[in-house]
Amino acid sequence: MAHSVFMSRQLTENTYIITGSGGDCYLLLGEDEAFLIDAGMSTENIRAFAQSLTDLPLRRVINTHSHFDHTAGNGFFDVIYGTAGISRSAKNTMGSDPAKYPLDYTFTLVKDGDVIDLKGRPLKVIELDCHAPGNLAILDETNRMLFPGDELEAGQVLLLPGYAEEMGQVHSRPASTVETYRNAMQKLKSFEDKFDIICPAHNGTPICKAYLDRYIRLAEMILAGEIVGDPDCSSPSYNAGASHYPYPDAGYLRAEYEDASLIYNKYLIFDADYPKAADLPNATLCHEKSAKTARQ
Ligand SMILES: [Zn+2]
């Protein structure tokens, strides 16, 4: 397709990655239809682009989470899957002009343990709920691939508060604690004999499943006080110029172990810390912008 904002790369015989705008998306080819994981962030029709890669019909998409870099193209599809948590803020354009995007759609809700009936390639939903409320990972046991959205990647995992679900709301939910994140990664680890590679939505794919152990170890070291993160949360793919980079007084730190890297709030380490969240300052400019673009 000429002059598209999107680019594709074939990862396996039946899997493409689509990059170019927003989070990276995955086109899965089943026996009799194609299926998309995440919808990118472009006014261009990502369904039409993805459809140009295969003769199999493409009607359905699932969001790994609600952030607009993963949901903006939802309205191009006939069926849009997400958890209840995802559905509550997926139409928040995070400051972009809502008139530019197809936002007139409804979700088909899924929950932890559900299996999407892609023929020849059933997709299991694993709810993780850390990077964003209701965040899910998708397990393709047939092809031994895990798609965790932004919960596990090689750049950094961000534990920021939830974005607005109602107009005027700056934080819809506190950032996940490090303990919650550790538990979520242990939940993923319980499936580790069912996949060989991890396909995240940012900073390169695929990555080795050893990242799962690295992130668990990193979280354990933070919880044990063996490691304290650096107030400089920046990296080549996340810096102070980004609207979702934390304000200096918001309490965010970056901790690293090997090449796993977690951005977490120093006041939200253990689950018992959640009551403190009400007193924390605004996390990012993007949250403040999102307070003005919430819609259902
Ligand atoms: Zn993302």
Side-chain angles (χ1 to χ4, degrees), residues 124-191:
K124 189 181 187 72
V125 172
I126 304 169
E127 204 164 340
L128 296 172
D129 201 34
C130 293
H131 173 73
N135 199 123
L136 57 86
I138 295 157
L139 178 62
D140 171 2
E141 289 185 41
T142 315
N143 296 277
R144 302 188 58 79
M145 304 169 90
L146 179 75
F147 302 89
D150 294 3
E151 294 282 26
L152 191 58
E153 56 143 295
Q156 57 273 309
V157 172
L158 307 177
L159 300 182
L160 296 174
Y163 290 90
E165 296 171 358
E166 303 166 13
M167 198 66 85
Q169 186 180 46
V170 177
H171 296 165
S172 69
R173 188 195 72 173
S176 287
T177 65
V178 175
E179 183 177 3
T180 294
Y181 182 71
R182 188 271 317 269
N183 294 346
M185 292 302 102
Q186 285 180 331
K187 179 177 180 179
L188 268 190
K189 192 169 169 63
S190 70
F191 296 97

Side-chain angles (χ1 to χ4, degrees), residues 178 182 214-228 255-258 264:
V178 175
R182 188 271 317 269
R214 284 176 210 165
Y215 272 98
I216 290 171
R217 181 75 188 113
L218 174 57
E220 297 277 2
M221 287 194 294
I222 297 168
L223 290 168
E226 293 168 14
I227 184 171
V228 177
E256 297 179 318
Y257 169 69
E258 296 186 350
Y264 66 100

Side-chain angles (χ1 to χ4, degrees), residues 47-290:
R47 178 179 175 180
F49 177 84
Q51 186 66 81
S52 74
L53 301 170
T54 176
D55 292 333
L56 295 170
L58 172 62
R59 298 188 306 113
R60 302 193 285 173
V61 66
I62 190 168
N63 299 148
T64 58
H65 59 292
S66 62
H67 297 166
F68 206 56
D69 58 323
H70 301 255
T71 65
N74 278 351
F76 294 118
F77 290 81
D78 299 338
V79 182
I80 301 107
Y81 296 105
T83 60
I86 290 170
S87 73
R88 286 196 290 269
S89 62
K91 294 181 184 179
N92 190 327
T93 60
M94 299 177 149
S96 294
D97 179 0
K100 293 182 175 172
Y101 297 93
L103 299 176
D104 186 17
Y105 65 86
T106 53
F107 274 97
T108 299
L109 295 182
V110 293
K111 61 184 185 317
D112 189 53
D114 283 355
V115 176
I116 292 174
D117 59 341
L118 181 59
K119 193 171 174 195
R121 196 170 189 178
L123 304 173
K124 189 181 187 72
V125 172
I126 304 169
E127 204 164 340
L128 296 172
D129 201 34
C130 293
H131 173 73
N135 199 123
L136 57 86
I138 295 157
L139 178 62
D140 171 2
E141 289 185 41
T142 315
N143 296 277
R144 302 188 58 79
M145 304 169 90
L146 179 75
F147 302 89
D150 294 3
E151 294 282 26
L152 191 58
E153 56 143 295
Q156 57 273 309
V157 172
L158 307 177
L159 300 182
L160 296 174
Y163 290 90
E165 296 171 358
E166 303 166 13
M167 198 66 85
Q169 186 180 46
V170 177
H171 296 165
S172 69
R173 188 195 72 173
S176 287
T177 65
V178 175
E179 183 177 3
T180 294
Y181 182 71
R182 188 271 317 269
N183 294 346
M185 292 302 102
Q186 285 180 331
K187 179 177 180 179
L188 268 190
K189 192 169 169 63
S190 70
F191 296 97
E192 73 170 345
D193 61 336
K194 301 187 188 318
F195 63 90
D196 295 321
I197 56 169
I198 299 169
C199 299
H202 297 282
N203 297 311
T205 196
I207 58 174
C208 169
K209 67 194 282 187
Y211 275 92
L212 192 47
D213 286 328
R214 284 176 210 165
Y215 272 98
I216 290 171
R217 181 75 188 113
L218 174 57
E220 297 277 2
M221 287 194 294
I222 297 168
L223 290 168
E226 293 168 14
I227 184 171
V228 177
D230 188 319
D232 179 358
C233 293
S234 66
S235 76
S237 60
Y238 188 58
N239 58 59
S243 68
H244 65 313
Y245 189 85
Y247 289 135
D249 66 349
Y252 277 87
L253 304 174
R254 171 187 284 268
E256 297 179 318
Y257 169 69
E258 296 186 350
D259 58 353
S261 185
L262 193 63
I263 312 290
Y264 66 100
N265 193 299
K266 66 181 175 184
Y267 302 112
L268 298 174
I269 305 293
F270 298 99
D271 288 355
D273 295 329
Y274 275 122
K276 296 178 189 168
D279 301 324
L280 297 179
N282 293 344
T284 73
L285 175 62
C286 192
H287 284 82
E288 295 195 28
K289 286 182 176 178
S290 298

